Amino acid sequence: MLWDTRKTDALMLGMIALYLCIEVPFSGYLMHLIAAGATQDQISVVEKFGRILTGVAIFLAFVGGSLIPYCRFEFPKVSEAVGVAVLGALLTIGGTYATLWAIGQYSPLLVSEKTLKQSYDSVILQNELRERGLGDLRPDLSSASWNAFIATAPVIANGERALGMIDGADQLKEREAKRQLGSIEEFRNRFFDQLSPEIERSYSSYRQASDAYLSAVGRIDRDASEEWNKYVGELRRRYPEGVPTVGYTAAGIRNKVRAQIPVSENWHVLDRSSFIAAYRKKARQEIASRSTGMDLPAGLSKAEFWQTAKVQEEIGRQIGHDYGFEPTGVIHPYMSPKQFATRVYVPAYAHVLEGIRSEKSRDQLEEAHRIATLPAMALLLSLAGAALHVFKGSGYAASLIGLKRYRHYVAGAVLLIGIALMSVKGDTITEASVYQDSKAGGVYAQIVEQAIRIQPAFDTFAEMFRSTGIWNQIEGVIATL
């Protein structure tokens, strides 16, 4: 029978197991990514995947709780049931994704300007903690609880108390500016990596035109000699008794030559050097007129090309757009580290620091609020999805071993015992005195704290699912997005 209870229970248990192989390792992956200082673009991709996972969690609950019981009576045929399932998947996963996107997008509109500013400051504090730790808590990316602590620091840390425990808190914004730029060498590499591809393409076009120009110029003297020999040979055939060099005949010869080559009005018709010079001048003009991309002198090396006024103008425009200052000297990849620091790094640092200290636009504050709050929400949603389906999966497993009447009790016991064991194991972050002295108040912060507390044991639990290899495949796909 299609809708035999044991078969549907086994089907649901299999789907839940597959889901848990992805969901359980996912939250640790996201926390590690944030704690390691990934870019917002990288984090955004993973958060989008997390929305899909949350939608899948809701869809699985819908399938087990509503779809299968409904199809058992209304759609006995597989083809009919599949159509309903596909529609249900689109509605639940798509609806969940849209809802979570809307929450992230519009939640900053529901808080005060003061809260938004605090979120901006908390993101700077988060970056400080990521790099330097807090008190005796040192950065440790191998620790699941450390990763979760850093990822959720804007939510669980009281900014004022945490700042009071940081050495040199009055220079926090200066260090943040340096973090954003990186070291001089890191910034230099990033700076020229950004500029180089476009200039390399320009130089490649220039080099092709330059090589063609120089090749053509290199043939001028040979062509001029050939033209002279041709000219003299024709004269000797026409005037075998001697070429006239004065009078009307010579003037006619001269005018005929002048129609093709810019010799002077009183040019001697057998003056080879003047003929060659005039031919060379005309040939160069013609070559230059046919050459494209040759508004620069020919034969420049790449280093010389970088230092031309045209390229420097483009570099200055890019620096002005990105860093808000005009460079005071020539900028090129071959400059010394000291020159780069003086001409680029120091002014760029001043610009970034000024931006950190200045009043922020509403859009900047809203984005900071999302960066500060969404990781904590993602962590809780991931744990909730895992907990729900550990409960559901335990219930289906209980039914399959003959405990159908008690499946809810069995599932509840498995979930509660699991949470209790994870909590008992504890962690080194939330138990540290420096954390207790700096933590924020409020119910939400307390919930997130408990999520951090179970991370070491939860990571051990996640390792069991990682060992299947399924998550490794998913992680590989995410890394390519």
Side-chain angles (χ1 to χ4, degrees), residues 189-465:
N189 292 337
R190 192 168 66 250
F191 177 81
F192 285 116
D193 283 348
Q194 182 180 354
L195 284 176
S196 292
E198 182 177 348
I199 295 177
E200 288 286 348
R201 286 191 294 270
S202 297
Y203 181 70
S204 178
S205 298
Y206 159 82
R207 182 64 183 269
Q208 290 178 1
S210 174
D211 289 347
Y213 175 83
L214 292 175
S215 176
V217 168
R219 295 194 300 269
I220 289 177
D221 287 346
R222 184 191 65 191
D223 294 345
S225 294
E226 290 177 356
E227 191 67 23
W228 170 259
N229 293 334
K230 179 181 176 182
Y231 161 71
V232 171
E234 182 181 350
L235 286 180
R236 287 174 178 169
R237 284 193 301 272
R238 292 182 60 184
Y239 306 103
E241 296 180 359
V243 177
T245 58
V246 295
Y248 290 107
T249 303
I253 295 172
R254 185 182 301 110
N255 290 335
K256 184 178 180 180
V257 172
R258 280 172 55 81
Q260 300 296 325
I261 300 172
V263 294
S264 65
E265 293 180 356
N266 58 356
W267 171 69
H268 191 283
V269 296
L270 293 179
D271 181 357
R272 184 181 187 278
S273 62
S274 296
F275 180 95
I276 296 295
Y279 182 94
R280 186 184 293 118
K281 178 180 179 182
K282 180 185 178 183
R284 285 182 177 274
Q285 291 173 343
E286 290 178 348
I287 292 169
S289 68
R290 294 195 306 267
S291 299
T292 57
M294 280 301 297
D295 50 346
L296 296 173
L300 295 179
S301 67
K302 189 181 294 185
E304 291 169 332
F305 182 81
W306 270 87
Q307 298 177 61
T308 59
K310 180 181 179 181
V311 174
Q312 289 300 306
E313 181 180 348
E314 174 59 26
I315 293 174
R317 186 195 64 77
Q318 189 68 38
I319 289 176
H321 177 270
D322 293 344
Y323 301 105
F325 71 91
E326 289 292 329
T328 57
V330 177
I331 309 299
H332 56 89
Y334 312 98
M335 64 198 305
S336 69
K338 183 177 180 180
Q339 288 175 326
F340 181 83
T342 302
R343 298 175 188 176
V344 182
Y345 187 84
V346 172
Y349 168 79
H351 174 75
V352 171
L353 181 58
E354 181 183 357
I356 293 173
R357 288 172 170 169
S358 65
E359 286 294 319
K360 304 297 175 295
S361 68
R362 178 78 188 190
D363 288 344
Q364 289 175 310
L365 294 177
E366 289 179 1
E367 182 61 23
H369 184 75
R370 296 184 190 98
I371 294 171
T373 58
L374 289 183
M377 183 177 74
L379 174 63
L380 295 181
L381 285 174
S382 181
L383 293 177
L388 171 63
H389 288 290
V390 166
F391 175 84
K392 300 284 286 185
S394 299
Y396 290 121
S399 295
L400 289 172
I401 63 175
L403 299 175
K404 184 176 181 63
R405 292 182 57 187
Y406 307 103
R407 65 185 185 279
H408 296 309
Y409 299 106
V410 172
V414 169
L415 180 62
L416 292 176
I417 291 172
I419 293 174
L421 290 175
M422 290 181 183
S423 298
V424 167
K425 182 175 181 180
D427 71 301
T428 58
I429 300 296
T430 61
E431 294 173 358
S433 60
V434 69
Y435 170 82
Q436 293 296 326
D437 292 340
S438 64
K439 71 178 183 178
V443 175
Y444 186 62
Q446 291 297 314
I447 295 172
V448 176
E449 178 182 326
Q450 293 307 309
I452 296 172
R453 182 177 177 81
I454 67 172
Q455 285 303 300
F458 189 80
D459 188 57
T460 302
F461 180 56
E463 190 58 40
M464 177 180 66
F465 291 97

